[in-house]
């Protein structure tokens, strides 16, 4: 949890040997109140996603409720709200409220896949993908560079298999 959510600048700035961040701690409570968050995803995600992306404070537990779901990991109340609007506009015979029922994205494959395509369009990802700009695309989708090295490794393998 410290490696993924604890350091300024992301996980590349976490040193496992010292259990510290090279650029400083982003969320000091992951060290000072470790037992409150360790092995408790509801509490951890309620904390790290609190008061961001349209989520309420930590007590609201919206950080957990609107955690990443679906094939592209739709995250944050604002994105769930926008997905609800776009889905309902495009599907008037299948009106859903993903704010009230966010788990539909993980319990129904249709919405898990659709939410990924909708989010891809929301961030204009085709422009960045067509330009082969992996860094900008990663930031647009992920909000930062977490997981970038793994993402590039998978992309290169996919390109190789596709002859691109």
């Amino acid at each position: 949890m410290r490696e993924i959510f604890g350091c300024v600048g992301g996980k590349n700035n976490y040193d496992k040997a010292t259990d510290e961040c090279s650029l400083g701690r982003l969320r000091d409570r992951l060290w000072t109140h470790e037992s409150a968050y360790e092995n408790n995803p509801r509490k951890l995600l309620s904390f790290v996603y609190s008061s961001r992306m349209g989520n309420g404070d930590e007590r609201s537990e919206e950080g957990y409720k609107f955690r990443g779901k679906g094939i592209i990991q739709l995250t944050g109340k604002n994105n769930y709200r926008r997905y609800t609007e776009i889905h309902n506009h495009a599907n008037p015979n299948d009106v859903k409220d993903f704010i009230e029922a966010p788990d539909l994205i993980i319990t129904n494959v249709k919405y898990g896949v659709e939410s990924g395509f909708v989010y891809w369009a929301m961030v204009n990802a085709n422009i960045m993908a067509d330009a082969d700009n992996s860094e900008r695309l990663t930031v647009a989708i992920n909000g930062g560079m977490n997981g970038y090295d793994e993402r590039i490794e998978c992309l290169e393998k996919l390109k190789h298999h596709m002859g691109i």
Side-chain angles (χ1 to χ4, degrees):
M1 73 181 175
R2 290 176 182 156
E3 179 179 2
I4 301 298
F5 298 114
C7 297
V8 172
K11 75 178 195 171
N12 290 335
N13 297 313
Y14 177 76
D15 183 347
K16 288 180 185 183
T18 62
D19 189 32
E20 273 305 332
C21 306
S22 60
L23 298 178
R25 293 177 181 177
L26 178 63
R27 297 182 177 92
D28 194 55
R29 281 197 276 166
L30 298 181
W31 282 263
T32 62
H33 294 82
E34 176 181 19
S35 63
Y37 301 109
E38 189 175 45
N39 299 313
N40 189 338
R42 178 177 298 277
K43 184 118 174 112
L44 176 64
L45 297 177
S46 294
F47 169 55
V48 299
Y49 293 131
S50 67
S51 303
R52 301 174 47 207
M53 301 175 285
N55 296 335
D57 64 16
E58 187 174 354
R59 288 183 312 254
S60 75
E61 296 190 343
E62 288 184 344
Y64 179 78
K65 182 177 182 181
F66 300 111
R67 68 193 180 279
K69 297 183 185 92
I71 64 168
I72 208 163
Q73 296 294 287
L74 189 69
T75 306
K77 189 175 186 178
N78 287 343
N79 288 325
Y80 280 73
R81 182 179 294 113
R82 186 73 182 117
Y83 171 49
T84 297
E85 293 166 0
I86 292 169
H87 169 83
N88 290 341
H89 179 75
N91 301 283
N93 294 326
D94 183 35
V95 173
K96 299 292 181 215
D97 186 343
F98 297 102
I99 297 292
E100 289 301 314
D103 285 347
L104 284 172
I105 294 173
I106 55 175
T107 59
N108 187 310
V109 171
K110 171 185 173 178
Y111 305 124
V113 172
E114 180 187 68
S115 67
F117 285 115
V118 167
Y119 188 71
W120 184 267
M122 285 169 49
V123 300
N124 295 309
N126 272 353
I127 293 169
M128 293 168 270
D130 289 345
D132 202 23
N133 192 329
S134 301
E135 288 184 11
R136 274 191 61 214
L137 186 57
T138 294
V139 170
I141 291 174
N142 200 40
M145 296 299 285
N146 282 350
Y148 181 73
D149 293 338
E150 296 89 350
R151 188 171 291 112
I152 292 303
E153 184 179 323
C154 290
L155 177 62
E156 292 305 320
K157 286 178 183 177
L158 181 62
K159 285 180 175 182
H160 175 75
H161 289 299
M162 295 177 72
I164 298 175

